[in-house]
Amino acid sequence: MSMRATKPESRNRRTPHAHTVRIVLPLLAALFATSCGTRTWNSPIPPSGINDRYDFYHRLNRGNAQDVFVVLAFSGGGTRAAAFSYGALRALREIPITWRGRTTTLLDEVDVISSVSGGSYTAAYYGLFGERIFDDFESDFLKRDVESSLIYRLANPVNLISITGSEFNRGDLSAQWLDENLFQGKTFSDMSRNGNPYVIINASDINTGLTFSFIQQQFDFLCSDINTYPVANAVMASSAVPGVFAPIAVRNFETACAQRTDSWVAVSGTTRDTYSRRHQVSRGLRRYFEPARMPVVRLLDGGITDNLGVRGSMMSPVAHYGNVEDMAGAFTPSELAAVRHVLVIVVNAQVYNEYSWSIAGADPSIIEMIEASFNASIDILSTETISLAKAGFMMWEQTANARRAPDAPRVRVHFAAITFDDIVDPAERERFNAMPTSLSLPPQDVDDLAAMSAQLVKALPEVRSFVGALQAEEEVGGR
């Protein structure tokens, strides 16, 4: 009896379990199939070409003063750099100017923002959403624990399975989070519209060792259209620190598009000026001409090649179709003749902090050694880049003035940079230099970074000289 009594009961216990397995396993399989991440690839150039190109000519703001040209460069440095750049925007918003009878702010006259790594979060957000940045960027990014959010997403078993594939990695997963939580699915077709400045986001192409700028001129060499590409992926590529994030990948299409084959690079390759920057850049770009040998381009942190985003992008032959001397990408001949007052501000959140292992006299770990090596290369490169960028703009000023008629107004470039070294108080300077390169900072640090940046920008002699020159000319013209 007891056996008879237990058998049906045992079957009753097992039968629901068997049914559950048969139901749950397919559901889990479907869940994993639909949840596994897929990489967002770039699109090829349409056969008819691109009418609305993401370049200076099509996206540069022509609603502000055309004889005034203002360029900002935002450095790398995680949230520290993003907050420092954000403070610079706030400062420019608070500096009034009157020009051609129109009273506005210095921020309204910003034409171009070139950015790297942490600075790209601020630049991209402002390029997409304009002054909305002053309403929600702090809560949506600067004061948000982004690191924990990314770690939590990575820890999801579904995502862990996703990144084991060959076409989805930690960089793609992070870009997905940024797309959903910060950039709202926007692509470059949405960027630099409605009077917002032209934004150049920069990464490093580890295939060629060159700066990779997210502009159509760069995508031409891939036979690709940047308009359909997500801004989040570009920002992730710009800030993908080696070892922490995996590279962001873009396709180099196997097509003979005119945008690639009819470029200035073919002509530059025939010159014998082998040590010129134009020649060195064109040599790297020619590797894109063979997609079979480079079908996929891998992109990492822009700081590897230019942690300031000014010389490797704004002053690059790529942005100007090979003709940096005339800023041919930024200006038509008539626009170049009209430009007179130029202001360049480099917002550099670079730090010079000590390492705990160094203070203790201990051997660094592998991760600490990689970090120190990466920082060392960026520190040296950044210091030299500011000098080279300033020299480049000053040479452009001389060239532009030499080509003008003797009685034509002169171009004057005001070039400035802010760093933590500009902080007068030693204890305060040390505190800012000790702030880590991370994607999460205490809210008070964010506030202090933004406030310090605003203070330093307003105190720049070059900014005061620039605004003073406009004011003096306006007063003369108004008499």
Side-chain angles (χ1 to χ4, degrees):
M1 289 291 296
S2 62
M3 290 184 65
R4 283 196 207 102
T6 56
K7 281 182 180 178
E9 189 178 3
S10 299
R11 284 197 300 270
N12 288 339
R13 284 200 303 270
R14 287 196 299 271
T15 301
H17 178 69
H19 282 304
T20 300
V21 169
R22 286 195 294 270
I23 293 171
V24 170
L25 281 180
L27 287 175
L28 284 174
L31 174 65
F32 275 79
T34 56
S35 298
C36 285
T38 54
R39 175 169 295 157
T40 302
W41 290 102
N42 50 312
S43 303
I45 286 179
S48 58
I50 306 166
N51 293 323
D52 182 22
R53 290 171 57 84
Y54 188 75
D55 58 15
F56 284 109
Y57 182 77
H58 291 88
R59 301 293 176 89
L60 202 60
N61 181 16
R62 288 177 171 82
N64 56 11
Q66 294 305 288
D67 47 3
V68 173
F69 192 65
V70 180
V71 179
L72 306 179
F74 294 164
S75 82
T79 298
R80 183 185 69 243
F84 206 51
S85 301
Y86 173 69
L89 294 179
R90 281 202 328 205
L92 297 178
R93 189 191 191 199
E94 295 168 2
I95 299 176
I97 60 171
T98 300
W99 184 242
R100 304 300 186 200
R102 175 173 169 261
T103 299
T104 180
T105 71
L106 193 49
L107 181 60
D108 291 327
E109 296 302 328
V110 173
D111 296 284
V112 180
I113 303 178
S114 182
S115 65
V116 171
S117 198
S120 291
Y121 293 95
T122 308
Y125 200 88
Y126 186 59
L128 286 171
F129 304 115
E131 295 212 2
R132 184 179 123 186
I133 194 172
F134 302 112
D135 298 326
D136 53 23
F137 188 59
E138 289 187 37
S139 59
D140 287 357
F141 181 75
L142 292 178
K143 294 182 179 179
R144 189 171 186 172
D145 190 355
V146 176
E147 279 191 5
S148 294
S149 298
L150 294 177
I151 292 171
Y152 179 80
R153 177 162 289 207
L154 178 62
N156 186 317
V158 174
N159 292 328
L160 286 173
I161 290 177
S162 295
I163 63 174
T164 60
S166 61
E167 290 196 358
F168 196 76
N169 59 35
R170 299 188 308 280
D172 298 307
L173 187 66
S174 300
Q176 189 182 75
W177 186 92
L178 289 173
D179 193 57
E180 296 169 3
N181 293 277
L182 188 62
F183 296 116
Q184 302 177 10
K186 300 292 186 182
T187 68
F188 279 88
S189 63
D190 305 300
M191 182 71 85
S192 303
R193 302 282 192 185
N194 304 316
N196 295 333
Y198 180 58
V199 173
I200 307 175
I201 298 170
N202 301 284
S204 297
D205 176 359
I206 57 175
N207 300 60
T208 64
L210 296 175
T211 294
F212 185 99
S213 300
F214 283 86
I215 54 179
Q216 186 56 52
Q217 296 98 308
Q218 185 87 54
F219 269 57
D220 283 345
F221 294 105
L222 308 178
C223 288
S224 180
D225 177 10
I226 193 175
N227 279 310
T228 61
Y229 197 70
V231 172
N233 285 55
V235 173
M236 189 64 248
S238 179
S239 58
V241 177
V244 178
F245 297 102
I248 293 293
V250 291
R251 283 199 175 106
N252 186 19
F253 289 100
E254 185 88 42
T255 57
C257 66
Q259 289 82 355
R260 176 164 60 198
T261 56
D262 295 343
S263 70
W264 58 272
V265 169
V267 177
S268 295
T270 63
T271 66
R272 294 187 177 276
D273 190 7
T274 56
Y275 295 104
S276 71
R277 188 153 176 267
R278 175 179 164 128
H279 178 82
Q280 294 298 321
V281 171
S282 68
R283 183 178 64 178
L285 293 173
R286 282 197 298 276
R287 294 185 59 192
Y288 295 137
F289 287 26
E290 299 182 75
R293 294 172 63 87
M294 194 195 295
V296 177
V297 176
R298 310 283 175 179
L299 306 173
L300 281 174
D301 196 302
I304 298 171
T305 51
D306 176 4
N307 197 45
L308 300 176
V310 59
R311 188 168 182 267
S313 60
M314 179 61 199
M315 298 297 291
S316 168
V318 176
H320 300 286
Y321 302 100
N323 192 357
V324 177
E325 292 78 10
D326 285 341
M327 290 279 191
F331 306 113
T332 64
S334 60
E335 288 172 336
L336 180 61
V339 171
R340 296 174 53 203
H341 302 278
V342 179
L343 174 64
V344 182
I345 303 176
V346 178
V347 183
N348 184 7
Q350 179 182 4
V351 294
Y352 298 94
N353 56 346
E354 295 178 291
Y355 299 107
S356 57
W357 54 264
S358 176
I359 296 172
D363 287 334
S365 67
I366 293 176
I367 293 176
E368 289 170 336
M369 185 168 55
I370 293 172
E371 177 190 14
S373 301
F374 183 68
N375 289 341
S377 62
I378 286 179
D379 291 348
I380 294 172
L381 189 63
S382 295
T383 301
E384 294 181 350
T385 297
I386 289 181
S387 298
L388 290 169
K390 182 176 182 178
F393 272 100
M394 293 307 171
M395 287 179 63
W396 171 74
E397 175 192 87
Q398 293 176 10
T399 301
N401 285 330
R403 295 180 181 180
R404 294 191 175 194
D407 58 343
R410 305 288 93 183
V411 176
R412 184 182 176 190
V413 174
H414 305 253
F415 189 100
I418 61 168
T419 72
F420 295 150
D421 282 348
D422 298 320
I423 301 173
V424 176
D425 182 75
E428 196 170 38
R429 184 168 61 248
E430 183 177 354
R431 178 190 164 225
F432 278 90
N433 270 305
M435 290 184 181
T437 301
S438 67
L439 288 178
S440 294
L441 288 177
Q444 188 60 56
D445 284 356
V446 170
D447 289 339
D448 293 345
L449 281 160
M452 178 55 69
S453 175
Q455 177 183 325
L456 294 175
V457 167
K458 291 177 181 179
L460 281 170
E462 295 85 355
V463 169
R464 293 180 176 180
S465 175
F466 177 83
V467 173
L470 295 180
Q471 181 178 341
E473 192 169 329
E474 184 73 6
E475 289 174 355
V476 171
R479 290 174 185 170

